[in-house]
Amino acid sequence: MQDALIAQARTWLAEDPDPDTREELARLIDAEDHAELTARFDGTLQFGTAGLRGELGAGPRRMNRSVVIRAAAGLAAYLRKHGHADGLVVIGYDARHKSLDFALDTAAVMTGAGLRAAVLDRPLPTPVLAFAIRHLGAVAGVEVTASHNPPRDNGYKVYLGDGSQIVPPADAEIAAEIGAVASLTTVPRPTEGWETLDDTVLNAYLARTDAVLAEGSPRTARTVYTAMHGVGKDVLLAAFARAGFPEPVLVTEQAEPDPEFPTVAFPNPEEPGAMDLAFARARAAEPDLVIANDPDADRCAAAVKDGADWRMLRGDEVGALLAAHLVRRGATGTFAESIVSSSLLGRIAEKAGLPYEETLTGFKWIARVEGLRYGYEEALGYCVDPDGVRDKDGITAALLLTELASELKSEGRTLLDLLDDLAVEHGLHATDQLSVRVRDLSLISAAMHRLRTEPPTELAGLAVTGAEDLTEGTAALPPTDGLRYTLDGARVIVRPSGTEPKLKCYLEAVVPVASKADLPGARARAAALLENLKRDLSGAAGI
């Protein structure tokens, strides 16, 4: 068995085009480190609806050039089979380790397969790539990014020609083509022949960002901005300058791309401590708003002054604020969100007489809603210009939120005042999350199995009035690995994360509010209910 493992590793080593991973793998082979070799060679990194994402390193279960070349070859074969033999594939990348290498390998594979390839000329936000696909009439796009994952990770996100991320059955068909790549020696990889794009595409994207704002709207809100060591700074500053907003005050320690993400444990604005430097800058600069992008700038976080200090707005709060702003501006079209997001959006849409849809988690589903005008999900993702970018976009979301803050400022009000108004009008919708990160993925499957075989009948003292196993699908939703519980005044959804080793439980409490004076009591009741839901759900799942 061990001899076969060593032989498998030597075969991989012989084909590996990257001197860094070749050296790494050679050391493991020479040391006969069977445990680590097994971890690298026990299966392959699976290609799914999130594309590929994983830890950098040698072997088929890690992100590396060999894995990327196979993925690109599989995508090329899929495109050729679907009638796009000479179609254009546009490729973008972030500033993580190996991102440029993976992008150029993809361009080489596409060119070798007879397709046309165009590569963005530098690390840019993911929404610029999503925009470029539709703008250039490409048949597909690839973004090399691991978004907000830890520094050791990288990823490979695939879009088709409509500018949306892949969904079934395309993911399975591409995965089958990847599996059919027997050897890298069968994959032609010329050293030239693709196009390197200039600033024309970026300038077209920036021109498009102007369209999300209302002509003549106030542009006075002052912001503190952090790029979280990612690629958002230059594009966001350019967009804000074009719009006429005050220049954001930068969190300089996090302003420039750095694949090590030295100031944060996880480069995700939602993670504890990630916004500490931004809050420190806000205490000194006293802006109206704090804005943060994640490292590939497709997500947007916001924080506001609440009493004596600053606090992050939840993704659901920003989602409701942007929806209310668009309604006030007379937006038409469908409002959509994922099932794990707050039901408040549905209330806002209903009151405005607008169509509303729920989708499975992820913008690959939200972006496909017919007639979409606005879509969001609680994980800080907002699509405010679906005709330009059919994906979440942290740049245009930041612009629209800053416009809203400016309008409220002109009225002597704040974002918190608008949230209070929405609570009085529609009921207080309070959300929270129980998120458990694991090293052993079997713990997640065990928790899901336990909930399925011993479903809770009561949570936080409330009877479970509806329990749905979403693997069976519903009239409106395709099957997915998740559970949904309905209670009187609350809702719980449990699902494994699609991009991280986490079990995620999404909680919502809805408390009626008669007047603004009742809000403190309603918030206290909602907070207590959410804490009790966390406690009881944790016990029921055994986590």
Side-chain angles (χ1 to χ4, degrees), residues 53 92-94 120 123-133 142-147 157 159 163 165 205 231-232 235 294-299 389 391-395:
R53 196 175 291 187
Y93 57 99
D94 67 11
L120 296 174
L124 286 167
T126 292
V128 176
L129 180 276
F131 168 83
I133 296 165
V142 171
E143 176 70 16
V144 180
T145 181
S147 188
K157 186 183 291 188
Y159 298 76
Q165 297 174 51
Y205 168 82
V231 298
V235 177
D294 67 338
D296 69 326
D298 63 350
R299 288 174 167 85
V389 176
D391 197 5
K392 53 188 177 291
D393 183 345
I395 305 297

Side-chain angles (χ1 to χ4, degrees), residues 13 20 53 81 87 102 128 139 172 206 234 236 284 293 316 340 380 382 392 479 481 507:
L13 177 64
D20 294 335
R53 196 175 291 187
K81 281 189 177 180
F102 295 168
V128 176
V139 298
L206 286 169
D234 291 346
L236 182 131
N293 286 138
D316 285 317
V340 299
L380 309 182
Y382 315 94
K392 53 188 177 291
D481 187 6
L507 319 172

